[in-house]
Amino acid sequence: MEFNERLKNMRKRFKVTQKSLSEHLGVTLRTYQRYEEGKIEPPLSTVLSIAKYFDIPVDCLLGNGFYANWEEIIPYKKEIIDALYDSLPKVSSLFDLYSMTESELARFLPAIFDKITIEGSNITLLESSAVSAGEHQTNLPKHPSS
């Protein structure tokens, strides 16, 4: 998925209008629309401002590293948290992950997992070596957008 698609999806999930985001960034509405259309790339300073606006890591917008498949992961928030609680039961007594926002999860999950992959109806959680070098799989329900 390209930057422009991630940007558009993020804006829609956070229920923000193009106009309000363009005003926050100090660009014209047409310039912002061209970012989402993929016709122009915003300068790095604008990408940083967008990440701050949504309170997410820049890599989440760029699709780097852990966030390479963030758009695929976030619809399965509940299932990922269920699997995390199953694999690391002590986490449930420390954190209420179900009430975390997407922004909070975007900071929390990479501390626990090196990678989360979704293939068909299976989710694979590769725990960080700092947590416990393990891999867990679980079955997923039908994709929420289907």
Side-chain angles (χ1 to χ4, degrees):
M1 180 176 290
E2 298 296 320
F3 170 81
N4 64 305
E5 296 168 298
R6 284 189 296 278
L7 175 60
K8 184 176 184 176
N9 291 341
M10 183 81 56
R11 179 184 58 77
K12 287 182 174 187
R13 276 198 313 277
F14 280 77
K15 296 177 174 54
V16 174
T17 64
Q18 289 180 332
K19 182 171 175 36
S20 63
L21 191 50
S22 69
E23 288 172 354
H24 172 78
L25 297 172
V27 298
T28 65
L29 175 59
R30 184 63 194 130
T31 296
Y32 179 81
Q33 289 170 335
R34 293 176 75 204
Y35 295 158
E36 283 194 7
E37 292 166 357
K39 293 186 177 172
I40 60 173
E41 293 282 330
L44 181 57
S45 59
T46 301
V47 174
L48 292 170
S49 293
I50 294 167
K52 285 180 183 177
Y53 182 85
F54 290 121
D55 190 28
I56 56 167
V58 172
D59 282 342
C60 196
L61 276 174
L62 300 178
N64 290 333
F66 177 85
Y67 305 100
N69 62 338
W70 187 251
E71 296 297 320
E72 185 179 320
I73 290 171
I74 202 63
Y76 291 111
K77 173 185 171 182
K78 181 192 176 308
E79 290 78 10
I80 290 168
I81 293 169
D82 289 345
L84 174 59
Y85 284 164
D86 289 345
S87 64
L88 298 169
K90 288 186 179 184
V91 171
S92 64
S93 65
L94 299 172
F95 302 99
D96 177 13
L97 300 179
Y98 294 109
S99 66
M100 281 189 174
T101 65
E102 180 176 343
S103 300
E104 292 166 332
L105 282 174
R107 287 182 165 67
F108 182 82
L109 290 177
I112 304 296
F113 301 112
D114 283 335
K115 190 172 187 176
I116 298 174
T117 58
I118 297 172
E119 295 177 20
S121 64
N122 291 318
I123 183 166
T124 302
L125 309 171
L126 180 60
E127 290 178 6
S128 166
S129 56
V131 176
S132 88
E135 185 176 298
H136 303 278
Q137 287 193 356
T138 188
N139 291 322
L140 292 174
K142 186 176 177 183
H143 192 281
S145 66
S146 299

